[in-house]
């Protein structure tokens, strides 16, 4: 009986420690460069997405969609901060949508789109 009580206490302790991390590990976008609907100068465009939690840069995907619907994969830079995804692109003037898909460390994928204009 004594053993059982101890293991229950240990389990409850573990769950209490793990739960907040699981609940908040989803990667939500906090801010981006370019910002949504922003106009930036080309051709060299720095891309940076900042999340509220760690993201796995090797399993996250950025895609650029042009105004006429063409898509191009964006190669991510080496991850310099664990909450960020960075890349750079050479872009002609026009409107674009940056599609992002981020894998957070809890295994959940979040997605979003950031429209912006290059002039
Ligand atoms: Cu999650």
């Amino acid at each position: 009986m004594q053993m059982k009580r101890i293991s229950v206490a240990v389990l409850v302790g573990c769950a209490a420690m793990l739960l907040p991390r699981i609940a908040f590990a989803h990667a939500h976008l906090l801010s981006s460069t370019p910002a949504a609907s922003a106009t930036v100068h080309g051709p060299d465009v720095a891309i940076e997405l900042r999340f509220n939690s760690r993201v796995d840069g090797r399993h996250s995907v950025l895609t650029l969609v042009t105004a006429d619907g063409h898509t191009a994969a964006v190669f991510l830079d080496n991850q310099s901060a664990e909450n960020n995804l960075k890349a750079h692109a050479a872009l002609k003037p026009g409107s674009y949508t940056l599609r992002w898909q981020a894998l957070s460390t809890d295994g959940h994928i979040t997605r979003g789109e950031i429209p912006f204009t290059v002039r």
Side-chain angles (χ1 to χ4, degrees), residues 22 25-26 104 106 108:
I22 291 168
H26 248 89
S104 68
D106 71 349
H108 288 143

mmCIF file of all heavy atoms in Angstrom, residues 22 25-26 104 106 108, ligand 1:
data_model
loop_
_atom_site.group_PDB
_atom_site.id
_atom_site.type_symbol
_atom_site.label_atom_id
_atom_site.label_comp_id
_atom_site.label_asym_id
_atom_site.label_seq_id
_atom_site.Cartn_x
_atom_site.Cartn_y
_atom_site.Cartn_z
ATOM 1 N N ILE A 22 2.874 21.138 -22.224
ATOM 2 C CA ILE A 22 2.091 20.611 -23.342
ATOM 3 C C ILE A 22 1.074 21.657 -23.784
ATOM 4 O O ILE A 22 0.933 21.938 -24.951
ATOM 5 C CB ILE A 22 1.391 19.294 -22.924
ATOM 6 C CG1 ILE A 22 2.447 18.205 -22.735
ATOM 7 C CG2 ILE A 22 0.368 18.876 -23.960
ATOM 8 C CD1 ILE A 22 1.947 16.959 -22.049
ATOM 9 N N ALA A 25 2.905 24.599 -25.665
ATOM 10 C CA ALA A 25 3.979 24.323 -26.612
ATOM 11 C C ALA A 25 3.581 24.546 -28.072
ATOM 12 O O ALA A 25 4.432 24.580 -28.932
ATOM 13 C CB ALA A 25 4.491 22.911 -26.431
ATOM 14 N N HIS A 26 2.291 24.676 -28.316
ATOM 15 C CA HIS A 26 1.823 25.009 -29.658
ATOM 16 C C HIS A 26 2.544 26.251 -30.168
ATOM 17 O O HIS A 26 2.645 27.227 -29.438
ATOM 18 C CB HIS A 26 0.335 25.376 -29.558
ATOM 19 C CG HIS A 26 -0.558 24.399 -30.201
ATOM 20 N ND1 HIS A 26 -1.065 23.318 -29.559
ATOM 21 C CD2 HIS A 26 -1.035 24.361 -31.461
ATOM 22 C CE1 HIS A 26 -1.834 22.650 -30.393
ATOM 23 N NE2 HIS A 26 -1.825 23.246 -31.554
ATOM 24 N N SER A 104 6.035 22.482 -33.898
ATOM 25 C CA SER A 104 6.495 22.820 -32.552
ATOM 26 C C SER A 104 7.033 21.566 -31.886
ATOM 27 O O SER A 104 6.841 20.459 -32.368
ATOM 28 C CB SER A 104 5.361 23.430 -31.730
ATOM 29 O OG SER A 104 4.385 22.449 -31.467
ATOM 30 N N ASP A 106 6.062 20.007 -29.381
ATOM 31 C CA ASP A 106 5.060 19.045 -28.895
ATOM 32 C C ASP A 106 4.494 18.216 -30.044
ATOM 33 O O ASP A 106 3.565 17.433 -29.837
ATOM 34 C CB ASP A 106 3.943 19.754 -28.115
ATOM 35 C CG ASP A 106 3.045 20.581 -29.011
ATOM 36 O OD1 ASP A 106 3.387 20.782 -30.189
ATOM 37 O OD2 ASP A 106 1.994 21.040 -28.527
ATOM 38 N N HIS A 108 2.889 19.313 -32.715
ATOM 39 C CA HIS A 108 1.765 19.929 -33.411
ATOM 40 C C HIS A 108 2.245 20.851 -34.509
ATOM 41 O O HIS A 108 3.250 21.538 -34.366
ATOM 42 C CB HIS A 108 0.894 20.724 -32.424
ATOM 43 C CG HIS A 108 0.102 19.852 -31.516
ATOM 44 N ND1 HIS A 108 -0.143 20.163 -30.204
ATOM 45 C CD2 HIS A 108 -0.478 18.660 -31.731
ATOM 46 C CE1 HIS A 108 -0.855 19.197 -29.651
ATOM 47 N NE2 HIS A 108 -1.065 18.266 -30.553
HETATM 48 CU CU1 LIG B 1 0.591 21.860 -29.560
#
